[in-house]
Amino acid sequence: MGHPTHLPQRRGHRVDNAFDNPERAARQLGNTREGAKTYYIDVPETVPDNRAVLEAWARGPGAKM
């Protein structure tokens, strides 16, 4: 289950993901929106869409994008 201090982080992350609402997660945690986002809500890092390049690489040499 993890360390007991991780419970607020998991709870905040799940509420934010379920409702896409950091204010709701902050209220659940008894925190401000900024505090919840800083300490409890995991914001995944986004990367550019590189599928075309990777799929061409997977097909092998000479493949077109």
Side-chain angles (χ1 to χ4, degrees):
M1 174 136 166
H3 197 273
T5 59
H6 295 162
L7 181 59
Q9 182 177 14
R10 290 197 314 261
R11 204 173 37 179
H13 178 71
R14 290 195 187 243
V15 169
D16 180 53
N17 281 347
F19 297 102
D20 194 25
N21 186 336
E23 287 82 11
R24 188 174 184 146
R27 286 194 310 269
Q28 171 68 36
L29 296 166
N31 209 324
T32 64
R33 179 182 190 267
E34 291 76 24
K37 287 187 75 132
T38 301
Y39 298 107
Y40 299 112
I41 298 172
D42 180 31
V43 179
E45 204 174 308
T46 56
V47 297
D49 185 1
N50 296 311
R51 282 181 285 185
V53 172
L54 296 173
E55 288 171 1
W57 171 70
R59 285 191 293 273
K64 303 281 184 190
M65 283 199 308

